Amino acid sequence: MTARELISFLDIIEKLKMTVRHNVMRSGRVESVAEHSWRLAVMAMLAAGEEEGLDRDRVIRLALVHDLGEAITGDIPAFIKTDENRKTEREAIAELCGSLPEKESVELKALFSELDEMNTPEARFMKALDKCEAVLSHNEADISTWLPLEYDLQLTYGQKECSYFPFTRELRRELEADSVKKIENG
């Protein structure tokens, strides 16, 4: 990859710093996709070592790239995302991969394929952490920013994804306890 090719790709994904998510941070500012992805990558770095046999570097790479398509599509909250949205996101990912030299394109396509198929422990672990990061972010937000459906979502979101690993089960239980306290205290 040349320096110019790297700059061109970074110009595309720079949009992730400006693309907002459906989450208001503790400060009252809306979170960007880039901020979410950064914290998820830190979670991956710290938590992947808690599960024996996981390739930590792969979990981190999956976390770093998992929302790159949103540089083109924008963020669509999971509770309203459709199959058509997922198709559009896959097309955006193909467009992003196509903008890279072959070696990097092949690597990125392999990571996205792994995420799409969810057939590796690393992809499943990253997906569980992604769900946990969303619950954590909402717990940190002022409850007045929650939509009515989020009261139930905070207690159910990511339960299935987190069930596969002891660490993510424990993390999800702790986050649920925090959600219950937040809801009770209004």
Side-chain angles (χ1 to χ4, degrees), residues 69-86:
E70 293 181 11
I72 295 170
T73 66
D75 178 66
I76 301 168
F79 55 84
I80 61 170
K81 192 175 268 190
T82 66
D83 286 341
E84 186 61 32
N85 297 136
R86 283 183 267 285

PDB file of all heavy atoms in Angstrom, residues 69-86:
ATOM      1  N   GLY A  69     -18.402   0.053   7.259  1.00  0.00           N
ATOM      2  CA  GLY A  69     -19.419   0.304   6.239  1.00  0.00           C
ATOM      3  C   GLY A  69     -20.286   1.515   6.549  1.00  0.00           C
ATOM      4  O   GLY A  69     -20.839   2.155   5.643  1.00  0.00           O
ATOM      5  N   GLU A  70     -20.373   1.869   7.827  1.00  0.00           N
ATOM      6  CA  GLU A  70     -21.186   3.009   8.231  1.00  0.00           C
ATOM      7  C   GLU A  70     -20.595   4.351   7.788  1.00  0.00           C
ATOM      8  O   GLU A  70     -21.267   5.367   7.858  1.00  0.00           O
ATOM      9  CB  GLU A  70     -21.440   2.970   9.740  1.00  0.00           C
ATOM     10  CG  GLU A  70     -22.310   1.781  10.115  1.00  0.00           C
ATOM     11  CD  GLU A  70     -22.638   1.687  11.589  1.00  0.00           C
ATOM     12  OE1 GLU A  70     -22.374   2.649  12.348  1.00  0.00           O
ATOM     13  OE2 GLU A  70     -23.168   0.637  11.988  1.00  0.00           O
ATOM     14  N   ALA A  71     -19.359   4.321   7.298  1.00  0.00           N
ATOM     15  CA  ALA A  71     -18.790   5.541   6.703  1.00  0.00           C
ATOM     16  C   ALA A  71     -19.571   5.900   5.442  1.00  0.00           C
ATOM     17  O   ALA A  71     -19.612   7.067   5.046  1.00  0.00           O
ATOM     18  CB  ALA A  71     -17.311   5.341   6.362  1.00  0.00           C
ATOM     19  N   ILE A  72     -20.203   4.909   4.843  1.00  0.00           N
ATOM     20  CA  ILE A  72     -20.987   5.127   3.628  1.00  0.00           C
ATOM     21  C   ILE A  72     -22.489   5.127   3.927  1.00  0.00           C
ATOM     22  O   ILE A  72     -23.225   5.979   3.448  1.00  0.00           O
ATOM     23  CB  ILE A  72     -20.632   4.056   2.564  1.00  0.00           C
ATOM     24  CG1 ILE A  72     -19.166   4.235   2.149  1.00  0.00           C
ATOM     25  CG2 ILE A  72     -21.557   4.145   1.354  1.00  0.00           C
ATOM     26  CD1 ILE A  72     -18.607   3.126   1.309  1.00  0.00           C
ATOM     27  N   THR A  73     -22.934   4.188   4.768  1.00  0.00           N
ATOM     28  CA  THR A  73     -24.374   4.031   5.011  1.00  0.00           C
ATOM     29  C   THR A  73     -24.915   4.883   6.144  1.00  0.00           C
ATOM     30  O   THR A  73     -26.113   5.091   6.236  1.00  0.00           O
ATOM     31  CB  THR A  73     -24.709   2.569   5.355  1.00  0.00           C
ATOM     32  OG1 THR A  73     -24.091   2.223   6.615  1.00  0.00           O
ATOM     33  CG2 THR A  73     -24.252   1.621   4.265  1.00  0.00           C
ATOM     34  N   GLY A  74     -24.033   5.341   7.026  1.00  0.00           N
ATOM     35  CA  GLY A  74     -24.497   5.963   8.261  1.00  0.00           C
ATOM     36  C   GLY A  74     -24.850   4.872   9.259  1.00  0.00           C
ATOM     37  O   GLY A  74     -24.794   3.684   8.946  1.00  0.00           O
ATOM     38  N   ASP A  75     -25.204   5.277  10.466  1.00  0.00           N
ATOM     39  CA  ASP A  75     -25.549   4.318  11.515  1.00  0.00           C
ATOM     40  C   ASP A  75     -27.054   4.090  11.508  1.00  0.00           C
ATOM     41  O   ASP A  75     -27.828   5.042  11.442  1.00  0.00           O
ATOM     42  CB  ASP A  75     -25.112   4.844  12.890  1.00  0.00           C
ATOM     43  CG  ASP A  75     -25.500   3.898  14.004  1.00  0.00           C
ATOM     44  OD1 ASP A  75     -24.953   2.784  14.041  1.00  0.00           O
ATOM     45  OD2 ASP A  75     -26.367   4.266  14.822  1.00  0.00           O
ATOM     46  N   ILE A  76     -27.435   2.836  11.596  1.00  0.00           N
ATOM     47  CA  ILE A  76     -28.841   2.481  11.736  1.00  0.00           C
ATOM     48  C   ILE A  76     -28.939   1.663  13.023  1.00  0.00           C
ATOM     49  O   ILE A  76     -28.318   0.596  13.126  1.00  0.00           O
ATOM     50  CB  ILE A  76     -29.346   1.670  10.531  1.00  0.00           C
ATOM     51  CG1 ILE A  76     -29.172   2.492   9.251  1.00  0.00           C
ATOM     52  CG2 ILE A  76     -30.806   1.263  10.728  1.00  0.00           C
ATOM     53  CD1 ILE A  76     -29.352   1.716   7.982  1.00  0.00           C
ATOM     54  N   PRO A  77     -29.683   2.155  14.011  1.00  0.00           N
ATOM     55  CA  PRO A  77     -29.788   1.409  15.277  1.00  0.00           C
ATOM     56  C   PRO A  77     -30.260  -0.027  15.043  1.00  0.00           C
ATOM     57  O   PRO A  77     -31.112  -0.285  14.180  1.00  0.00           O
ATOM     58  CB  PRO A  77     -30.812   2.208  16.079  1.00  0.00           C
ATOM     59  CG  PRO A  77     -30.745   3.592  15.510  1.00  0.00           C
ATOM     60  CD  PRO A  77     -30.439   3.403  14.048  1.00  0.00           C
ATOM     61  N   ALA A  78     -29.717  -0.947  15.813  1.00  0.00           N
ATOM     62  CA  ALA A  78     -30.019  -2.373  15.653  1.00  0.00           C
ATOM     63  C   ALA A  78     -31.514  -2.655  15.750  1.00  0.00           C
ATOM     64  O   ALA A  78     -32.018  -3.541  15.058  1.00  0.00           O
ATOM     65  CB  ALA A  78     -29.263  -3.183  16.702  1.00  0.00           C
ATOM     66  N   PHE A  79     -32.226  -1.888  16.558  1.00  0.00           N
ATOM     67  CA  PHE A  79     -33.646  -2.189  16.757  1.00  0.00           C
ATOM     68  C   PHE A  79     -34.535  -1.758  15.592  1.00  0.00           C
ATOM     69  O   PHE A  79     -35.725  -2.061  15.590  1.00  0.00           O
ATOM     70  CB  PHE A  79     -34.162  -1.617  18.086  1.00  0.00           C
ATOM     71  CG  PHE A  79     -33.943  -0.144  18.284  1.00  0.00           C
ATOM     72  CD1 PHE A  79     -34.820   0.797  17.771  1.00  0.00           C
ATOM     73  CD2 PHE A  79     -32.849   0.295  19.022  1.00  0.00           C
ATOM     74  CE1 PHE A  79     -34.615   2.147  17.967  1.00  0.00           C
ATOM     75  CE2 PHE A  79     -32.640   1.651  19.231  1.00  0.00           C
ATOM     76  CZ  PHE A  79     -33.521   2.579  18.695  1.00  0.00           C
ATOM     77  N   ILE A  80     -33.946  -1.087  14.575  1.00  0.00           N
ATOM     78  CA  ILE A  80     -34.731  -0.778  13.373  1.00  0.00           C
ATOM     79  C   ILE A  80     -34.051  -1.267  12.086  1.00  0.00           C
ATOM     80  O   ILE A  80     -34.596  -1.117  11.010  1.00  0.00           O
ATOM     81  CB  ILE A  80     -35.053   0.742  13.250  1.00  0.00           C
ATOM     82  CG1 ILE A  80     -33.773   1.572  13.152  1.00  0.00           C
ATOM     83  CG2 ILE A  80     -35.938   1.205  14.371  1.00  0.00           C
ATOM     84  CD1 ILE A  80     -34.029   3.027  12.797  1.00  0.00           C
ATOM     85  N   LYS A  81     -32.882  -1.895  12.216  1.00  0.00           N
ATOM     86  CA  LYS A  81     -32.133  -2.361  11.037  1.00  0.00           C
ATOM     87  C   LYS A  81     -32.886  -3.502  10.354  1.00  0.00           C
ATOM     88  O   LYS A  81     -33.359  -4.428  11.009  1.00  0.00           O
ATOM     89  CB  LYS A  81     -30.735  -2.814  11.449  1.00  0.00           C
ATOM     90  CG  LYS A  81     -29.806  -3.031  10.275  1.00  0.00           C
ATOM     91  CD  LYS A  81     -28.401  -3.347  10.732  1.00  0.00           C
ATOM     92  CE  LYS A  81     -27.618  -2.070  10.829  1.00  0.00           C
ATOM     93  NZ  LYS A  81     -26.186  -2.283  11.031  1.00  0.00           N
ATOM     94  N   THR A  82     -32.968  -3.414   9.032  1.00  0.00           N
ATOM     95  CA  THR A  82     -33.672  -4.422   8.231  1.00  0.00           C
ATOM     96  C   THR A  82     -32.681  -5.226   7.401  1.00  0.00           C
ATOM     97  O   THR A  82     -31.506  -4.877   7.305  1.00  0.00           O
ATOM     98  CB  THR A  82     -34.673  -3.737   7.269  1.00  0.00           C
ATOM     99  OG1 THR A  82     -33.913  -2.963   6.313  1.00  0.00           O
ATOM    100  CG2 THR A  82     -35.647  -2.830   8.012  1.00  0.00           C
ATOM    101  N   ASP A  83     -33.205  -6.270   6.767  1.00  0.00           N
ATOM    102  CA  ASP A  83     -32.373  -7.055   5.854  1.00  0.00           C
ATOM    103  C   ASP A  83     -31.883  -6.190   4.697  1.00  0.00           C
ATOM    104  O   ASP A  83     -30.762  -6.342   4.226  1.00  0.00           O
ATOM    105  CB  ASP A  83     -33.145  -8.267   5.316  1.00  0.00           C
ATOM    106  CG  ASP A  83     -33.306  -9.354   6.367  1.00  0.00           C
ATOM    107  OD1 ASP A  83     -32.553  -9.352   7.364  1.00  0.00           O
ATOM    108  OD2 ASP A  83     -34.200 -10.210   6.197  1.00  0.00           O
ATOM    109  N   GLU A  84     -32.720  -5.274   4.242  1.00  0.00           N
ATOM    110  CA  GLU A  84     -32.330  -4.362   3.160  1.00  0.00           C
ATOM    111  C   GLU A  84     -31.169  -3.464   3.622  1.00  0.00           C
ATOM    112  O   GLU A  84     -30.225  -3.216   2.864  1.00  0.00           O
ATOM    113  CB  GLU A  84     -33.526  -3.512   2.718  1.00  0.00           C
ATOM    114  CG  GLU A  84     -33.241  -2.647   1.513  1.00  0.00           C
ATOM    115  CD  GLU A  84     -32.848  -3.416   0.254  1.00  0.00           C
ATOM    116  OE1 GLU A  84     -33.325  -4.543   0.047  1.00  0.00           O
ATOM    117  OE2 GLU A  84     -32.038  -2.871  -0.532  1.00  0.00           O
ATOM    118  N   ASN A  85     -31.225  -2.989   4.877  1.00  0.00           N
ATOM    119  CA  ASN A  85     -30.123  -2.191   5.427  1.00  0.00           C
ATOM    120  C   ASN A  85     -28.833  -3.013   5.470  1.00  0.00           C
ATOM    121  O   ASN A  85     -27.762  -2.510   5.148  1.00  0.00           O
ATOM    122  CB  ASN A  85     -30.434  -1.706   6.840  1.00  0.00           C
ATOM    123  CG  ASN A  85     -31.612  -0.783   6.926  1.00  0.00           C
ATOM    124  OD1 ASN A  85     -32.446  -0.918   7.821  1.00  0.00           O
ATOM    125  ND2 ASN A  85     -31.725   0.179   6.019  1.00  0.00           N
ATOM    126  N   ARG A  86     -28.945  -4.284   5.879  1.00  0.00           N
ATOM    127  CA  ARG A  86     -27.766  -5.152   5.951  1.00  0.00           C
ATOM    128  C   ARG A  86     -27.187  -5.388   4.553  1.00  0.00           C
ATOM    129  O   ARG A  86     -25.970  -5.423   4.386  1.00  0.00           O
ATOM    130  CB  ARG A  86     -28.121  -6.471   6.642  1.00  0.00           C
ATOM    131  CG  ARG A  86     -28.238  -6.325   8.162  1.00  0.00           C
ATOM    132  CD  ARG A  86     -28.530  -7.648   8.848  1.00  0.00           C
ATOM    133  NE  ARG A  86     -29.952  -7.876   9.040  1.00  0.00           N
ATOM    134  CZ  ARG A  86     -30.706  -7.275   9.951  1.00  0.00           C
ATOM    135  NH1 ARG A  86     -30.186  -6.409  10.778  1.00  0.00           N
ATOM    136  NH2 ARG A  86     -31.990  -7.553  10.046  1.00  0.00           N
TER     137      ARG A  86
END
